[in-house]
Amino acid sequence: TQLLEQSPQFLSIQEGENLTVYCNSSSVFSSLQWYRQEPGEGPVLLVTVVTGGEVKKLKRLTFQFGDARKDSSLHITAAQPGDTGLYLCAGAKAGGTSYGKLTFGQGTILTVHP
Amino acid sequence: KAGVTQTPRYLIKTRGQQVTLSCSPISGHRSVSWYQQTPGQGLQFLFEYFSETQRNKGNFPGRFSGRQFSNSRSEMNVSTLELGDSALYLCASSLANLYNEQFFGPGTRLTVL
């Protein structure tokens, strides 16, 4: 059972367009992280959101954590070819059984065409 | 600060063999976690070590094991390799704080023939 549903799985857009990636769960997370991964490399942490309703901005990327801390979204404004990659959301839970463990969504493969 | 390093980057093994992968965490990070990434299953948690102790384990068979040394470096071992073990194995280190932020290495690409 996939605890984090990420959509869409694939996104192919033109340079300059806007896009939103969604990450939904029926579980509550203590924090939610977004990563970007390029082929042959490990995921790189973009942002961590921890408070319900929190919004964080990283240049053209806007991250939001749902009020109930069950869902999150990533919005990219005016996408550029350099944004191309695999975007992953990952949820963390508090408590001993969660040490080191992130639950990942299946990922969104974003391709931005020049 | 240097990032997480993993060796080797690529490995080719045959069924039945065993393999050991190595990970050096970011300096000061005492928690090391291992993940398996495959196209079908995505990223799945294997186990986590902190101060040489395994604190958490995912749903993988006993063929997958690990250990951590006093300098926080970690190794992961897979015995009796199966074709389905072909994957990118990622090591991540963290400060083990409340937010559980993981910093990943580049991974070891394991191919089992």
Side-chain angles (χ1 to χ4, degrees):
Chain A
T1 305
Q2 189 65 37
L3 293 181
L4 266 177
E5 297 291 336
Q6 195 173 333
S7 62
Q9 265 191 285
F10 302 94
L11 207 46
S12 179
I13 62 172
Q14 294 295 126
E15 182 176 1
E17 292 184 11
N18 301 332
L19 66 111
T20 302
V21 178
Y22 299 93
C23 186
N24 296 297
S25 174
S26 57
S27 298
V28 175
F29 293 101
S30 61
S31 68
L32 199 137
Q33 290 141 45
W34 286 90
Y35 292 83
R36 181 176 156 220
Q37 185 177 21
E38 300 198 25
E41 298 297 328
V44 174
L45 179 64
L46 296 174
V47 79
T48 299
V49 285
V50 300
T51 306
E54 182 177 4
V55 177
K56 279 192 174 178
K57 292 192 175 184
L58 188 68
K59 295 182 181 179
R60 293 176 293 100
L61 278 60
T62 301
F63 304 86
Q64 186 162 4
F65 202 11
D67 291 340
R69 290 186 290 137
K70 293 181 179 181
D71 54 86
S72 182
S73 64
L74 156 62
H75 182 81
I76 301 179
T77 303
Q80 298 176 1
D83 295 327
T84 293
L86 172 66
Y87 288 81
L88 294 155
C89 64
K93 297 196 175 191
T97 59
S98 301
Y99 291 130
K101 180 179 180 179
L102 293 176
T103 299
F104 280 86
Q106 283 293 84
T108 295
I109 297 176
L110 171 64
T111 305
V112 183
H113 301 279
Chain B
K1 231 182 213 183
V4 176
T5 57
Q6 291 187 245
T7 56
R9 291 292 309 273
Y10 303 92
L11 265 179
I12 299 176
K13 293 285 187 179
T14 55
R15 279 181 298 174
Q17 288 187 308
Q18 74 161 10
V19 67
T20 299
L21 314 181
S22 183
C23 170
S24 292
I26 292 171
S27 178
H29 286 192
R30 295 166 63 190
S31 169
V32 174
S33 298
W34 289 88
Y35 288 79
Q36 181 195 65
Q37 186 175 28
T38 59
Q41 298 297 318
L43 272 125
Q44 292 189 292
F45 173 75
L46 281 155
F47 30 66
E48 188 258 7
Y49 286 86
F50 182 87
S51 292
E52 303 178 67
T53 300
Q54 186 184 89
R55 297 194 301 179
N56 201 4
K57 190 176 189 304
N59 296 322
F60 279 82
R63 300 185 296 107
F64 292 82
S65 63
R67 59 177 175 168
Q68 186 181 35
F69 302 95
S70 58
N71 61 358
S72 294
R73 192 177 67 84
S74 178
E75 288 182 347
M76 183 189 123
N77 185 275
V78 188
S79 63
T80 319
L81 284 166
E82 301 178 359
L83 295 178
D85 296 333
S86 294
L88 181 67
Y89 289 89
L90 292 158
C91 168
S93 73
S94 83
L95 288 169
N97 60 17
L98 178 64
Y99 308 126
N100 212 1
E101 292 170 322
Q102 301 293 316
F103 296 88
F104 286 86
T108 295
R109 171 72 62 186
L110 173 65
T111 302
V112 182
L113 303 175

